[in-house]
Amino acid sequence: MLVEREQDVLRAASMYYLQDLKMEVIARHLGTSRSTVSRLLRHARDTGLVEITLRPSSTRAPGLGRSISSTFGIDTYVVPVPDSAGSVERLDQVAMTAARLIGSWFDSDMVMGVAWGTTIAAVSRYLAPKPTRGSAVVQLNGAANMRTSGVEYAADLISSFGSAFDAAVHHFSVPAFFDYPDTKDAMWRERSVRRVLDMQRRADLAVFSVGAVAGAVPSHVYSAGYLDESDVRRLHDDGVVGDVCTVFLRADGSWADVSLNGRATGPTPAQLERVPRRVCVVAGDNKVAPLLAALRARVVTDLVVDEVTATALVEVVGTRTSARPR
């Protein structure tokens, strides 16, 4: 029965994508309904039997990708979008591409670390089911804040990654930021916390975005009660342009002496560097400065970015980038 279904999927996909037949015609050929043909085609896309790639004739994506890759020594996936595309469309296109790539990279007996945020939440909605064995998904940064727990938001996001891959899920039940560095030091000695930290250290793959301090739409960490006014002023005084996994970065990629990082629960750039594959997913005009900071901090091995943001990044970098050699 399973073999017969797979044959139907192949036949439907071949007739639709290669022979350009309409669904009604395919349904008559297969002796089934139009809705069943639609489900067969969806299955073909979800399982990777069919991969759809858009290649607009005017896209600058290949050249932008090569430029970013050669400058920073990373793999870059620039998603073609029209210059007129709105922020929602750009995010959706990038999220779809990132979800497909993550699905191709993550497999059985692997550990994936995931940082919460608006961009990664969008990625989670496009993950195609891919059953794995012995795999795990671990939350990279705490989520509780001053206004709400934040835990439910992060838990749902992390759980959606686990569900997509039939992976065990490890939540990180600590605040996004402690009030005092000493409190963090004490919590890091607790066995329940150390268990999650150990799982993070075992990660084969990390998935995250960059948070932007400035811009018309501040990132979730700056708009959802994670920081008070004095914290924001301190970030401004420290020259912070954004964050990765709620660890704050200056424009040059430095982070070690940013005072709030002593209270942050996310992995530092030095800790992230130990993860073999580090996937950064970015879309949005206000993400250029924090993205450049993340690249300079060497936390990225694979970048998925929309064409408009990539263009702005290349223009900012020019020929005078101060990225550290890899």
Side-chain angles (χ1 to χ4, degrees):
M1 189 70 177
L2 182 61
V3 173
E4 183 178 334
R5 173 176 165 77
E6 293 303 318
Q7 290 176 342
D8 285 344
V9 170
L10 179 59
R11 281 195 289 265
S14 298
M15 286 187 280
Y16 187 78
Y17 291 106
L18 299 181
Q19 301 174 42
D20 201 25
L21 298 180
K22 296 184 181 298
M23 288 192 193
E24 293 82 358
V25 177
I26 299 171
R28 288 199 298 272
H29 274 289
L30 298 180
T32 188
S33 65
R34 187 185 187 281
S35 61
T36 298
V37 172
S38 179
R39 287 194 294 271
L40 292 172
L41 295 174
R42 173 65 182 271
H43 183 72
R45 295 191 298 270
D46 288 347
T47 57
L49 177 65
V50 171
E51 292 188 359
I52 299 174
T53 303
L54 300 178
R55 300 186 183 278
S57 59
S58 60
T59 182
R60 297 156 294 183
L64 290 168
R66 287 192 295 270
S67 176
I68 295 170
S69 293
S70 63
T71 299
F72 296 101
I74 64 173
D75 290 329
T76 308
Y77 306 84
V78 177
V79 181
V81 294
D83 290 342
S84 59
S87 58
V88 173
E89 181 182 354
R90 288 160 63 182
L91 176 58
D92 279 348
Q93 293 298 320
V94 167
M96 282 190 280
T97 299
R100 179 175 59 82
L101 289 169
I102 291 165
S104 70
W105 292 328
F106 189 65
D107 216 324
S108 296
D109 300 316
M110 293 179 68
V111 175
M112 173 164 44
V114 178
W116 53 261
T118 304
T119 301
I120 305 306
V123 173
S124 72
R125 293 193 289 270
Y126 290 106
L127 290 170
K130 178 184 177 181
T132 62
R133 299 180 307 279
S135 61
V137 174
V138 60
Q139 182 178 333
L140 288 177
N141 47 340
N145 64 54
M146 296 175 291
R147 296 181 191 167
T148 65
S149 72
V151 172
E152 183 176 351
Y153 163 78
D156 288 347
L157 193 163
I158 305 302
S159 294
S160 65
F161 274 81
S163 297
F165 299 105
D166 284 351
V169 175
H170 300 268
H171 298 291
F172 199 21
S173 301
V174 297
F177 303 96
F178 286 101
D179 288 336
Y180 307 99
D182 290 346
T183 309
K184 173 184 171 181
D185 292 340
M187 283 295 294
W188 259 224
R189 294 194 293 271
E190 292 290 325
R191 283 178 294 178
S192 60
V193 173
R194 282 162 43 197
R195 179 186 62 79
V196 180
L197 293 173
D198 179 64
M199 186 62 65
Q200 292 176 0
R201 284 190 287 269
R202 292 169 51 194
D204 303 283
L205 173 71
V207 180
F208 53 88
S209 186
V210 294
V213 176
V217 183
S219 295
H220 194 77
V221 69
Y222 308 101
S223 61
Y226 290 91
L227 304 168
D228 60 27
E229 290 183 7
S230 63
D231 291 332
V232 175
R233 285 196 299 271
R234 193 173 298 118
L235 292 178
H236 178 76
D237 293 341
D238 277 342
V240 166
V241 298
D243 73 278
V244 169
C245 303
T246 57
V247 173
F248 300 105
L249 307 174
R250 297 189 183 91
D252 63 0
S254 62
W255 56 271
D257 59 342
V258 174
S259 57
L260 262 66
N261 285 342
R263 296 160 39 198
T265 57
T268 67
Q271 292 166 332
L272 269 181
E273 271 200 271
R274 299 171 190 153
V275 179
R277 171 163 278 169
R278 307 181 296 278
V279 185
C280 185
V281 187
V282 180
D285 297 333
N286 64 330
K287 297 297 184 77
V288 176
L291 171 56
L292 181 54
L295 292 168
R296 287 170 169 166
R298 297 174 54 178
V299 297
V300 181
T301 62
D302 296 82
L303 173 63
V304 186
V305 61
D306 71 276
E307 186 174 351
V308 179
T309 305
T311 299
L313 174 67
V314 170
E315 290 173 352
V316 168
V317 171
T319 58
R320 300 185 300 276
T321 181
S322 59
R324 291 183 284 157
R326 299 190 68 83

